[in-house]
Amino acid sequence: MSSPTQPRTYPHGVPCWVDTEQPDVDAATAFYGALFGWTFTDKMPPGAPGRYVVASLDERDVAAIASPPDGSDATPEWITYVAVDDIGVTAGAVAADGGVLLSGPEIVGPPGRMASVQDPQGARFRLWQAGTRLGAQRVNEPGTWNFSNLLTPDPDRALDFYGPLLGWELDPELGAGMFRVPGYGDHLARTVDPGIHERQEFAPPRFADVAAGVARVSDPARWDVAFSVADRDESATAAERAGGVVLSTSENEWVREAVVRDPQGAELTLSQFAPQEWG
């Protein structure tokens, strides 16, 4: 059995990384450092035309903040990257499956190869073939990326695109709202989480294969990025203190969440795992 301390890797079709492009990178690092306790390392050499600053928690990569391309005036957002085995092949299939290849594939140095994609309903994401940057190394704990959810007006049409492209399935036994990548749970068990199947005995079969969420919303379609927090209310207050705006709060039988807009306009979800106890 592989050691659970080995680097976290992501099989084909599994979201692996998140970043955000912000006009003022220093202001963004100040906000997210205050909110999540992140530390930052600028990965671009001095004199480079842009910046790519990787955020870490306890010296393990969790996300990144970048400067936007020259001339871009797009509203900042959090972008989800999906791991692929061969970016040339996957990017080449985007148009045939109804999407738009916005840029790439391109080599971004030793870290890997990237392509930007828009799905048939307008949600943007990126494909990632890893080199030295394997993906987020800490996830699903306070201060780290928890989950990416596709918000779309037509989940069935979305599956027609993401299914052939990335191997995603919607399993009726898991209920609505969960895309699975067959074999992902076994991959986790072999690598970083040997006990995942045993811990999830309460869950439906193949729950460990869940890789992303999907929810029906009105236009526009987009990818929502959620970060785990220990206490939703405390984190929402911290976000406001650092210059963000709390747009909404919600709770269900599993989580307590707050949607936040950061000072430069990117929206994210703060998610506290708080399952209700049933007597």
Side-chain angles (χ1 to χ4, degrees), residues 212-223:
V214 58
R216 187 185 301 273
V217 299
S218 58
D219 288 330
R222 66 184 181 91
W223 275 95

Side-chain angles (χ1 to χ4, degrees), residues 50-99:
R51 298 179 66 189
Y52 198 80
V53 181
V54 172
S56 300
L57 198 62
D58 293 337
E59 301 183 346
R60 295 168 67 188
D61 295 352
V62 295
I65 297 170
S67 52
D70 288 343
S72 173
D73 60 357
T75 300
E77 61 182 325
W78 277 96
I79 298 290
T80 295
Y81 290 63
V82 181
V84 294
D85 292 334
D86 187 323
I87 199 167
V89 171
T90 305
V94 167
D97 290 330

